[in-house]
């Protein structure tokens, strides 16, 4: 797998260091293992290998731990990693962190789902109807390059500072890339595939579900990923700017009140959430695109 | 005339907006007529205020973005060519790519202060990820036979990098540049809204907070125009550099 | 001997199943100077692998390859390569591609030489076209011109006409014969087509199914210059084709379903 885990054709089949279950980079030097180790050993080994491969991350964490400990940076500006972990624990015990995390997740998920469903639908209609396309294409061309941060004050004004306004932000941030990618993807579906489905007696709906959407899914997923990344940024930013809840707000709040140790705890949480969201996306993608030949 | 039909839907919406605002169907304070906003944009441009604020934003964004390109492209290419470098950096980029870096803004404020430094650093960090990853994939996906052909004709590794790997990876590198630009723009205005005394993002949020609605719309409009302009510039540079690539994907 | 391969073997690690796949085993072969040798075998038997080892792109797991008596350690300008997929640089025009490998002389001399070879393969007038604007046959002509232009002693060709339609393929075979008969080079030509091997070669080396090794080496008794059409109906050629087909068919069947 590649560093961002995306599935792409790999024309140079040298095993990547980041391959999930590839060989160790210097495979040749490795002693020949028992061909069928116990499941436990296999998983244990794999986990160990994964850990060893992520050594650079470990190095960063060590740096985080020891720079403040050795007094290179004051501990109240940069609390050590272990202290931050402990703070995360305390915040969870107090029930404070979950509340904000849950709210941010609900906003993000709602906006994302709406954006993906709406985007794919609109994309299909644009690809299949000239009229729909003629109406929406210029709108998309104009709104797409607008940096989405500019929508934050606008939506604050229109929809207030609560959850609805944030969901709308994420919705818009997601739907634009998803519409564009699914429009192109659906328009690109090979005519022979469509004809084959027709020849086998598929109606429009069946063909859409069984041929068009699967064939378009790789490109659509690329659009979803861009939407995911952009909307996470916009969500955190808008929570920082307005409202009284959400992880972004909590970061800004602790920062303003000088509770830096809690700021770090919440920043770590956000990093982990972003990472988990991405892994979830990747897992989904690998399921959906299992049919895709990697070497093709 | 062609423009009229092409952007028909946009003009239609703008006209509807104008009419609704003028006729009082919309709240006139929240939705000032489109013409009022355009006039304000003109006068603010004329007075030079907008230009100055845009300059601040551009300076921050441009510096961070340029640094991200200068570091990211070579780093991504190096990662694709050397297993050691990849082994070191790949986990960092895999973990860091989806993290909304704007959430880390407190660190930048604490260490770099409220001025340009923190914004430049944030833009740099956010743009770096798509640039590195796409350069990496671009180089990784270069056809093995291209490199072999060059090698058979006696090219050195350095010559192959310059004459084969670079042009072959350029389409992907441009994808990274464009994504980096999109993210940079979002982040620079966001960070200006969160903490700054200048820049278009700052103007926008201050106007919103003080209910100077027309000013807010004007700032939003200029941010949109700036975004579109820069996006166009990258696309033009891409078309210029990749003339051979046109239609290649389809072929 | 121009090329000598002794007991060349190659094992690949299958990245999915972490087992070793033996692609070549004890493959030995000698090619005389200016000889045209075809390697014939079912797909997947290791033909490309062997050719890439001779070219120096990949390392053998065992055995050695000598070119002009010196062991091959990497690619060199003495061995030109033509791939089935053309491998033209899509960012270069036809002219740029053919000039790519030229080293001698100033820019004008190199351009003149490149134009000469473009004309030689019948593409005069297409110098400024990009590869994507050309048909498969034209692309393969450019690839041939690119390799011929810098004048390597040996041509290594990996199913160069495999992707072309039958008519274009016949034309290209004639063209190759004409070029080769004019300035004889040593050619190692990989193909899975019995007809093609018979028409072109001085000698045909039939390979076994994977792991590939030499099954039989067959001399082709027809004189030069050859005319492709004549060989199509020649009785001796038909017999030779039948014999070869039986040899290959046994190997195809041995390989299991493909
Ligand atoms: N890079 C590689 N990694 C793993 N297996 C390979 C690789 N290249 C070739 N093989 C395997 O080696 C065998 C021979 O391949 P190849 O030389 O391409 O066959 P041919 O050219 O005769 O069709 C095939 O079974 C193929 O799957
Ligand atoms: Mg082959």
């Amino acid at each position: 797998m590649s560093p961002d885990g995306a599935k792409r054709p790999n024309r140079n089949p040298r095993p990547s260091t980041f391959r999930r279950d590839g060989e160790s980079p210097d495979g040749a030097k490795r002693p020949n293992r028992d061909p069928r180790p116990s499941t436990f050993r296999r998983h244990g080994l794999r986990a160990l290998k994964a850990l060893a491969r992520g050594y650079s991350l470990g190095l960063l964490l060590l740096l985080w731990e020891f720079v403040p400990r050795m007094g290179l940076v004051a501990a109240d500006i940069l609390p050590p990693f272990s202290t931050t972990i402990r703070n995360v624990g305390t915040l969870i015990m107090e029930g404070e962190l979950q509340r904000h995390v849950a709210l941010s997740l609900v906003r993000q998920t709602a906006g994302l789902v709406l954006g993906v469903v709406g985007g794919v639908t609109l994309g299909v209609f644009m690809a299949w109807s000239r009229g729909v396309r003629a109406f929406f294409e210029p709108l998309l061309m104009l709104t797409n390059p607008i940096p989405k941060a500019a929508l934050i004050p606008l939506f604050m004004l229109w929809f207030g500072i609560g959850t609805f306004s944030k969901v709308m932000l994420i919705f818009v941030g997601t739907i634009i890339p998803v519409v564009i990618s699914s429009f192109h993807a659906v328009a690109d579906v090979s005519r022979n595939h469509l004809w084959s489905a027709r020849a086998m007696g598929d109606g429009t709906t069946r063909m859409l579900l069984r041929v068009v959407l699967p064939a378009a899914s790789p490109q659509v997923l690329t659009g979803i990923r861009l939407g995911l990344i952009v909307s996470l940024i916009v969500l955190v930013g808008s929570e920082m700017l307005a409202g009284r809840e959400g992880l972004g707000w909590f970061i800004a709040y602790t920062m303003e009140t000088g509770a830096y140790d809690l700021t770090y705890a919440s920043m770590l949480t956000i990093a982990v959430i972003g990472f988990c969201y991405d892994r979830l996306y990747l897992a989904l993608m690998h399921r959906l695109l299992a049919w895709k030949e990697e070497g093709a | 005339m062609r423009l009229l039909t092409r952007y028909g839907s946009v003009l239609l919406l703008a006209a509807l907006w104008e009419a609704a605002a003028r006729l009082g169907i919309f709240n006139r304070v929240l939705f000032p007529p489109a013409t009022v906003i355009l006039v304000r944009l003109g006068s603010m441009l004329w007075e030079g205020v907008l230009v100055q604020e845009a300059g601040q934003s551009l300076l921050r964004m441009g510096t961070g973005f340029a640094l991200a390109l200068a570091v990211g492209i070579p780093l991504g290419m190096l990662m694709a060519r050397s297993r050691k470098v990849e082994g070191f950096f790949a986990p960092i980029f895999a973990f860091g790519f989806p993290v909304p870096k704007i959430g880390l803004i407190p660190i930048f404020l604490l260490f770099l202060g409220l001025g340009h430094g923190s914004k430049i650093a944030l833009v740099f960090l956010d743009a770096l990820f798509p640039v590195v990853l796409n350069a990496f994939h671009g180089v990784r996906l270069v056809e093995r036979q291209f490199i072999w052909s060059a090698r058979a004709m006696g090219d050195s590794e350095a010559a192959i990098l310059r004459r084969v790997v670079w042009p072959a990876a350029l389409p992907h590198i441009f994808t990274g540049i464009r994504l980096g630009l999109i993210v940079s723009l979002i982040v620079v205005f966001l960070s200006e809204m969160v903490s700054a005394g200048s820049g278009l993002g700052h103007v926008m949020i201050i106007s919103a907070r003080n209910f100077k609605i027309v000013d807010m719309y004007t700032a939003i409009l200029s941010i949109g125009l700036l975004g579109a302009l820069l996006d166009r510039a990258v696309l033009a540079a891409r078309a210029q550099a990749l003339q051979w690539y046109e239609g290649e994907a389809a072929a | 001997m121009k090329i000598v391969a002794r007991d060349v073997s190659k094992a690949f690690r299958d990245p999915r199943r972490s087992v070793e796949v033996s692609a070549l085993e004890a493959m030995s072969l000698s090619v005389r100077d200016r000889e045209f040798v075809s390697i014939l075998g079912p797909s997947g038997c290791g033909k490309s692998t062997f050719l890439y080892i001779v070219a120096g792109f990949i390392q053998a797991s065992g055995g050695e390859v000598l070119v002009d008596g010196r062991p091959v350690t990497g690619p060199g300008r003495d061995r030109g390569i033509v791939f089935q997929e053309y491998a033209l640089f899509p960012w270069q025009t036809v002219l740029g591609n053919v000039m790519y490998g030229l080293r001698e002389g100033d820019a004008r001399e190199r351009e003149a030489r490149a134009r000469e070879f473009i004309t030689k393969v019948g593409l005069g007038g297409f110098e400024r076209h990009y590869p994507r604007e050309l048909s498969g046959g034209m692309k393969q002509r450019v690839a041939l011109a690119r390799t011929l232009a810098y004048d390597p002693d040996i041509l290594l060709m990996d199913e160069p006409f495999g992707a072309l339609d039958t008519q274009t393929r016949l034309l290209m075979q004639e063209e190759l014969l004409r070029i080769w008969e004019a300035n004889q080079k040593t050619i190692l030509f990989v193909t899975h087509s019995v007809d093609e091997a018979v028409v072109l070669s001085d000698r045909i080396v039939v390979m076994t199914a994977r792991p590939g090794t030499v099954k039989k080496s067959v001399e082709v008794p027809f004189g030069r210059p050859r005319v492709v059409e004549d060989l199509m109906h020649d009785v001796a050629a038909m017999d030779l084709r039948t014999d070869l087909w039986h040899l290959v068919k046994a190997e195809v069947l041995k390989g299991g379903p493909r």
Side-chain angles (χ1 to χ4, degrees):
Chain A
M1 264 320 89
S2 45
D4 62 349
K7 197 165 193 167
R8 304 183 199 216
N10 194 352
R11 297 209 188 101
N12 291 346
R14 100 172 147 77
S16 152
T17 335
F18 218 66
R19 209 164 271 238
R20 273 245 198 82
D21 43 8
E23 315 285 37
S24 72
D26 51 349
K29 275 183 238 149
R30 224 172 24 153
N32 217 345
R33 269 193 286 122
D34 181 336
R36 319 196 78 213
S38 73
T39 332
F40 173 76
R41 267 198 58 203
R42 214 164 49 217
H43 283 291
L45 271 174
R46 207 176 272 178
L48 267 181
K49 267 199 280 177
L51 268 184
R53 251 184 262 130
Y55 73 97
S56 48
L57 277 177
L59 228 59
L60 279 183
L61 291 184
L62 278 182
L63 216 64
W64 182 358
E65 181 68 26
F66 285 105
V67 162
R69 284 214 184 279
M70 299 193 332
L72 296 175
V73 173
D76 42 335
I77 295 191
L78 181 66
F81 176 60
S82 56
T83 316
T84 306
I85 290 283
R86 213 169 324 118
N87 287 335
V88 173
T90 319
L91 280 173
I92 291 176
M93 300 284 265
E94 289 168 0
E96 184 75 5
L97 200 57
Q98 296 92 305
R99 196 162 64 82
H100 297 297
V101 169
L103 192 64
S104 294
L105 282 185
V106 166
R107 290 167 170 173
Q108 170 71 26
T109 312
L112 195 69
V113 169
L114 287 175
V116 170
V117 172
V120 172
T121 315
L122 188 53
V124 170
F125 275 112
M126 277 177 66
W128 282 3
S129 149
R130 283 176 149 273
V132 177
R133 175 174 171 186
F135 185 81
F136 282 103
E137 200 168 32
L139 277 180
L140 282 168
M141 274 173 58
L142 278 188
T143 44
N144 183 35
I146 295 179
K148 296 301 165 291
L151 298 180
I152 294 177
L154 198 64
F155 282 22
M156 274 165 53
L157 192 72
W158 290 353
F159 308 121
I161 57 173
T163 292
F164 180 67
S165 147
K166 267 124 196 142
V167 171
M168 288 309 290
L169 265 177
I170 293 159
F171 170 69
V172 173
T174 317
I175 196 172
I176 294 179
V178 173
V179 171
I180 293 176
S181 64
S182 33
F183 162 59
H184 286 297
V186 172
D188 284 353
V189 173
S190 131
R191 204 174 47 175
N192 289 353
H193 285 159
L194 299 181
W195 284 350
S196 305
R198 283 277 188 229
M200 289 184 270
D202 273 8
T204 304
T205 319
R206 244 172 113 74
M207 186 172 76
L208 184 71
L209 291 179
R210 298 203 318 167
V211 177
V212 176
L213 290 185
S217 55
Q219 264 179 283
V220 174
L221 281 165
T222 314
I224 293 180
R225 190 170 208 209
L226 179 60
L228 185 66
I229 284 172
V230 165
S231 65
L232 261 179
I233 301 178
V234 177
L235 172 71
V236 174
S238 72
E239 285 183 344
M240 284 178 149
L241 280 167
R244 319 216 103 266
E245 290 155 314
L247 207 44
W249 172 79
F250 192 65
I251 291 179
Y253 173 73
T254 52
M255 173 81 188
E256 267 161 36
T257 50
Y260 297 145
D261 46 345
L262 299 187
T263 314
Y264 279 93
S266 40
M267 286 193 294
L268 186 63
T269 313
I270 249 183
V272 172
I273 288 178
F275 179 73
C276 290
Y277 239 117
D278 197 54
R279 287 292 121 168
L280 214 67
Y281 163 87
L282 291 177
L284 180 80
M285 186 182 74
H286 283 292
R287 260 194 90 100
L288 286 179
L289 301 189
W291 51 271
K292 233 186 144 201
E293 280 180 65
E294 218 155 329
Chain B
M1 190 59 215
R2 270 196 54 216
L3 215 68
L4 206 74
T5 45
R6 212 156 146 224
Y7 288 100
S9 52
V10 178
L11 291 178
L12 186 72
L13 285 186
L16 278 179
W17 172 303
E18 178 78 22
R22 293 261 178 229
L23 295 173
I25 299 171
F26 284 171
N27 178 338
R28 186 115 188 222
V29 182
L30 292 189
F31 298 91
T35 43
V36 174
I37 300 169
L38 281 179
V39 168
R40 182 83 182 121
L41 181 68
S43 76
M44 273 173 97
L45 274 176
W46 180 250
E47 288 160 23
V49 201
L50 225 42
V51 177
Q52 203 184 336
E53 300 292 351
Q56 293 283 310
S57 302
L58 271 180
L59 177 71
R60 292 161 177 160
M61 193 226 92
T63 314
F65 184 54
L67 281 174
L69 295 189
V71 174
I73 295 175
L75 179 59
M77 294 180 78
L78 200 64
M79 273 169 70
R81 299 286 282 187
S82 147
R83 186 164 296 150
K84 279 217 184 75
V85 179
E86 186 199 345
F88 186 84
F89 284 104
I92 296 180
F93 281 98
F95 183 80
F97 179 53
V99 171
K101 264 73 70 181
I102 185 77
L104 308 182
I105 197 170
I107 303 187
F108 295 101
L109 294 178
L110 282 173
F111 285 91
L112 298 172
L114 289 164
H116 287 330
S118 55
K119 277 105 210 157
I120 291 173
L122 201 60
V123 168
F124 166 75
L125 194 64
D126 248 315
L128 186 64
F129 284 80
V131 171
V132 166
L133 289 173
N134 281 284
F136 172 83
H137 286 295
V139 172
R140 210 20 113 57
L141 291 173
V142 176
E143 303 250 10
R144 193 169 64 161
Q145 296 185 345
F146 289 169
I147 294 174
W148 282 357
S149 299
R151 216 170 261 159
M153 290 186 268
D155 268 7
S156 66
E157 287 304 306
I160 290 176
L161 197 65
R162 183 172 53 82
R163 297 174 74 190
V164 178
V165 175
W166 172 256
L170 207 53
H172 276 91
I173 291 176
F174 262 106
T175 307
I177 294 178
R178 182 146 186 239
L179 290 177
L181 179 75
I182 293 175
V183 177
S184 299
L185 283 167
I186 295 179
V187 166
V188 78
F189 295 124
L190 210 47
S191 67
E192 284 176 355
M193 285 193 267
V194 174
S195 76
S198 63
L200 282 178
H202 170 74
V203 173
M204 184 168 65
I205 197 75
I206 291 295
S207 318
R209 293 220 161 109
N210 297 333
F211 264 86
K212 290 186 176 165
I213 305 300
V214 177
D215 284 9
M216 182 197 79
Y217 276 110
T218 312
I220 292 175
L221 197 60
S222 8
I223 286 179
L225 288 176
L226 205 61
L229 213 67
L230 289 175
D231 196 46
R232 275 291 137 105
V234 168
L235 287 182
R238 185 193 144 97
Q240 183 63 37
L242 297 182
Q243 272 164 3
W244 61 270
Y245 190 71
E246 284 296 306
E248 178 76 17
Chain C
M1 283 294 152
K2 190 72 180 173
I3 306 172
V4 178
R6 273 195 215 112
D7 289 332
V8 173
S9 66
K10 176 75 189 179
F12 288 108
R13 273 183 309 116
D14 183 332
R16 273 178 218 277
R17 294 179 190 80
S18 55
V19 288
E20 301 246 311
V21 178
S22 182
L24 283 176
E25 210 153 281
M27 171 92 179
S28 295
L29 173 72
S30 300
V31 181
R32 292 189 305 273
D33 195 18
R34 284 150 207 264
E35 192 179 15
F36 194 131
V37 175
S38 286
I39 300 181
L40 180 65
S43 78
C45 75
K47 304 181 296 291
S48 299
T49 304
F50 178 70
L51 203 71
Y52 296 163
I53 290 172
V54 175
F57 300 143
I58 58 181
Q59 244 101 53
S61 314
E64 61 173 350
V65 177
L66 305 177
V67 169
D68 289 326
R70 284 184 301 276
V72 167
T73 54
R77 276 169 74 85
D78 54 342
R79 283 153 290 148
I81 181 97
V82 179
F83 295 103
Q84 175 175 344
E85 302 85 358
Y86 327 121
L88 297 178
F89 302 125
W91 53 89
Q92 295 270 9
T93 58
V94 168
L95 186 64
N97 266 290
V98 179
M99 280 179 72
Y100 191 100
L102 300 182
R103 296 277 173 80
E104 263 120 68
D106 58 26
R108 284 187 54 198
E109 284 163 352
R110 277 178 297 167
E111 182 173 333
R113 185 172 172 86
R115 282 180 185 282
E116 176 194 330
F117 278 86
I118 292 169
T119 313
K120 204 174 254 182
V121 297
L123 281 181
F126 287 92
E127 286 83 356
R128 296 285 165 201
H129 283 58
Y130 281 100
R132 70 178 144 85
E133 299 167 303
L134 306 179
S135 70
M138 292 159 94
K139 282 186 203 165
Q140 199 53 282
R141 286 168 198 267
V142 180
L144 198 59
R146 180 171 74 177
T147 308
L148 290 172
Y150 71 92
D151 200 23
D153 281 354
I154 300 172
L155 278 187
L156 305 173
M157 308 183 82
D158 189 3
E159 307 202 25
F161 310 142
L164 307 180
D165 59 85
T166 319
Q167 285 81 6
T168 314
R169 196 176 173 135
L170 289 177
L171 283 176
M172 290 299 288
Q173 288 168 358
E174 279 184 344
E175 200 112 330
L176 181 64
L177 278 177
R178 188 171 55 72
I179 290 170
W180 179 73
E181 277 155 6
N183 56 350
Q184 299 225 322
K185 293 182 180 298
T186 309
I187 297 188
L188 199 49
F189 188 99
V190 165
T191 180
H192 63 252
S193 157
V194 173
D195 293 358
E196 186 165 79
V198 169
V199 166
L200 296 175
S201 338
D202 297 326
R203 189 153 56 90
I204 299 170
V205 174
V206 181
M207 282 180 75
T208 63
R210 201 186 70 202
T213 188
V214 175
K215 178 171 182 170
K216 193 161 184 203
S217 176
V218 180
E219 292 288 336
V220 179
F222 313 122
R224 310 258 182 197
R226 287 185 194 165
V227 180
V228 176
E229 283 112 89
D230 292 356
L231 283 182
M232 284 201 258
H233 307 290
D234 184 283
V235 179
M238 280 197 233
D239 286 347
L240 180 57
R241 280 202 291 265
T242 313
D243 292 348
L244 285 167
W245 169 236
H246 283 300
L247 286 173
V248 177
K249 186 178 166 190
E251 297 307 318
V252 174
L253 294 175
K254 226 177 0 180
R258 43 189 83 237

